[in-house]
Amino acid sequence: MHEKPIAFVFPGQGSQQVGMLAAAYEKFAVVRDTFEEASQALDVNIWSLVMSGPQQALNLTETTQPVLLTCSVALWRAWEESSGAPPCIMAGHSLGEFSALVCAGALGFADAVKLVRKRGQFMQTAVPAGQGAMAAIIGVEDSEVIRICQQVAQEENSIVSAVNFNSPGQVVIAGNVAAVDIAISALKEAGAKRALPLPVSAPFHTQLMKPAGEHLAEVMAGMMIASPKIPVVHNVNATVEPDPEKIRTLLVEQIYSPVQWTACMRRVIEAGAQHVVECGPGKVLSGLSRRIEKTLHCYSLEEPEALLATAAELK
């Protein structure tokens, strides 16, 4: 193993900002080439969307997903070109799992860009706009969040569940709007420090996403998936999976299953990783990583200086 064991982590929706990666785009030809490749695959100028937005357009799920995937793959290619050391393990948060699988050589980039745009469309249309909601709950034990959501779902004959276990004491819930509102009140009574509704357009990772999973399975049926060259930890069960057919199944299940991010990071730590490199815009996962394990050294690659300095440091 590399003497400084590295894990690469790839962010999901919520990390997108107008103007992200502007400096990396200027600095690295490989970043420009990656955006060009994605634009050709989708027949849309992705870079102009990143630069001019508006943020509202960038936040549309079917746009966010291919754009973030492209950002992550572009930075990964710049890392490789800068002689950055190979990671011993990878993980991605929700959409980020697709980025990880592209960078690990399991999915072709052009295929994946088209796939995640469709994934975004399926997720958006599975639940009509305005009927689903998500909220971040801070300061309540995971088990208590699960219990309260189950109770509310039963009493209201509706859907609300814990969907992202992001770090100890930070869980995202999602479901039908009314049920989420009731669960927020109940969780505040149970001692939540904060319960923040999230600016998303659909209740991701709930059973309401089952139809999206069925559509995704149809699209993925003909897709080439290879065994990853670098182990990738999966959101659904926090395990590494070398079998392409099982990866296919896990990517479908992921759309309507909770993201077990805390467990994924524990698996990364078990693999020996002490350095966590966030390969994408922003520093959301770096913050979560430190909450999960204080001893981890975290880096983000969005700025060219940071990418080059990290590549040199972790050689």
Side-chain angles (χ1 to χ4, degrees):
M1 193 190 283
H2 188 260
E3 64 189 62
K4 290 182 177 170
I6 304 166
F8 259 62
V9 294
F10 298 85
Q13 286 186 228
S15 291
Q16 68 277 5
Q17 292 294 333
V18 172
M20 59 190 170
L21 262 71
Y25 188 89
E26 291 240 324
K27 172 88 178 167
F28 302 112
V30 72
V31 170
R32 297 192 289 277
D33 293 346
T34 303
F35 274 92
E36 180 56 33
E37 197 182 328
S39 298
Q40 284 181 358
L42 297 177
D43 206 17
V44 174
N45 186 334
I46 290 220
W47 185 246
S48 74
L49 196 61
V50 169
M51 285 316 287
S52 49
Q55 188 69 35
Q56 214 173 348
L58 212 50
N59 287 352
L60 282 174
T61 298
E62 66 182 81
T63 306
T64 310
Q65 297 202 19
V67 166
L68 281 176
L69 178 95
T70 304
C71 288
S72 284
V73 173
L75 290 172
W76 167 253
R77 289 173 173 178
W79 171 266
E80 287 196 304
E81 216 174 61
S82 308
S83 307
C88 64
I89 197 161
M90 292 177 162
H93 193 290
S94 188
L95 163 79
E97 190 167 305
F98 290 81
S99 307
L101 286 163
V102 171
C103 297
L107 296 177
F109 177 50
D111 279 350
V113 168
K114 292 180 198 160
L115 178 68
V116 300
R117 177 164 68 177
K118 287 201 167 112
R119 180 179 181 264
Q121 287 164 348
F122 299 150
M123 289 167 91
Q124 194 58 70
T125 54
V127 179
Q131 289 190 17
M134 298 181 80
I137 309 300
I138 313 289
V140 181
E141 289 284 327
D142 292 3
S143 55
E144 185 67 354
V145 178
I146 293 167
R147 186 189 68 75
I148 286 173
C149 285
Q150 284 172 343
Q151 193 180 331
V152 171
Q154 209 170 357
E155 286 169 4
E156 299 300 314
N157 193 20
S158 189
I159 287 179
V160 59
S161 56
V163 295
N164 291 359
F165 296 93
N166 283 335
S167 67
Q170 187 184 329
V171 178
V172 174
I173 64 170
N176 300 114
V177 173
V180 170
D181 287 344
I182 293 164
I184 286 175
S185 301
L187 284 158
K188 280 183 176 163
E189 279 174 35
K193 289 184 191 140
R194 282 202 305 243
L196 313 164
L198 297 177
V200 293
S201 44
F204 304 136
H205 301 291
T206 64
Q207 292 299 304
L208 295 165
M209 289 287 132
K210 266 276 172 67
E214 284 159 18
H215 292 312
L216 192 70
E218 285 167 23
V219 175
M220 286 185 69
M223 253 185 82
M224 255 298 295
I225 300 180
S227 188
K229 296 186 183 82
I230 299 163
V232 174
V233 184
H234 292 276
N235 289 181
V236 171
N237 54 13
T239 60
V240 166
E241 184 51 71
D243 178 350
E245 289 317 306
K246 288 189 179 153
I247 291 172
R248 201 184 300 273
T249 305
L250 284 165
L251 289 176
V252 171
E253 287 177 2
Q254 193 235 57
I255 213 167
Y256 54 78
S257 304
V259 173
Q260 303 287 350
W261 189 249
T262 302
C264 286
M265 288 308 296
R266 298 252 181 258
R267 178 74 188 76
V268 160
I269 295 159
E270 272 168 32
Q274 295 154 12
H275 302 265
V276 175
V277 178
E278 184 161 2
C279 190
K283 298 179 180 177
V284 171
L285 298 182
S286 299
L288 294 181
S289 297
R290 285 194 196 94
R291 278 210 277 282
I292 292 164
E293 179 51 68
K294 289 186 177 65
T295 62
L296 290 172
H297 303 278
C298 299
Y299 310 81
S300 63
L301 299 186
E302 184 176 351
E303 297 303 323
E305 300 75 29
L307 188 148
L308 295 169
T310 304
E313 184 184 334
L314 297 182
K315 264 207 171 61

